[in-house]
Amino acid sequence: MTLSKDHIQTQSLLAFNAWKTLWIKNCKANKEKIKTSHKDFLGRFKGKRAFLFAYGPSFKANIEEFKAKYQSQPDIIVGCVDKAFRPLVALGVIPDYVLVADGSVDAGEWLSGISVETLKKTILIANVYCSPAWPEMWCKHNLEHSILWYLNKDNIECTKNNKCGTAEYFAPICGYNEIIEAGSNVGNSLVIFANKIFGSKELFLYAYDYCWRHGEYYGVEAHQKRYLTPSFRVVDNCKELAFSTMNMEFSAKWLDSYIIFVRRMYGVVTKNLTGRGILREGRLAA
């Protein structure tokens, strides 16, 4: 599936306008915490297979499969999105890295009960405008050098004279300018880091649904919020009817395109073990 330039611009600008005020505030709060460069982490997991966990409705079934089939195998590493971190740890899987991008995701809820020893084993990948409480959890234990910061590159004109997108807009605010491709959401950015920075050539995706069926939702959202989110019907990879949103479908299409690109250009093999969802490329039956 391909994305038009207008589609990309529209989605990017919607997100920017909705969150700009909070992102500016978070950039200022995170500025003094930034102590590392991307080059400090280059090739850190080269030669290792990366098992990446988003937090779609397939998470529970997928983690059971991972523990049964893959956890004890050599030469694997585990990465996850913010909301999958605590559930993984609770099930005995300590991620090698976790990525947070959301400007408002609650650290009190999603880092509750995480030990210092676990933090020491886990790299935090943090967007410069993420919720400051997340990097603060690492910093207060003197783990600043285990935080990998980044900005997203896109092409939207945030202001009249801005031609290089949100990275150019936020870089002066936080005093940092190391970027990755515009991954469009937290799970997609995780895929980029697994390959481009950490050096894995085989990626295995779990809980990358980008949709939900009746009675399900992403993360642990309030019951009322589920039905306030604008959604529409889609047919998933199991030929079942499901719900998705404009942003989720956009993100799935973006990742489909990225999977094709890195396979052709860099020989990166991506296998989608989710078993359902609307991500078309790399899908395998879980």
Side-chain angles (χ1 to χ4, degrees), residues 248-265:
M248 285 184 184
E249 187 183 42
F250 171 80
S251 294
K253 289 180 179 179
W254 191 98
L255 188 54
D256 275 332
S257 298
Y258 185 80
I259 288 171
I260 294 170
F261 174 76
V262 294
R263 182 175 66 237
R264 290 174 177 172
M265 295 297 294

Side-chain angles (χ1 to χ4, degrees), residues 164-179:
C164 298
T166 54
E168 182 185 73
Y169 185 90
F170 289 108
I173 299 172
C174 61
Y176 183 83
N177 62 3
E178 296 194 55
I179 63 173

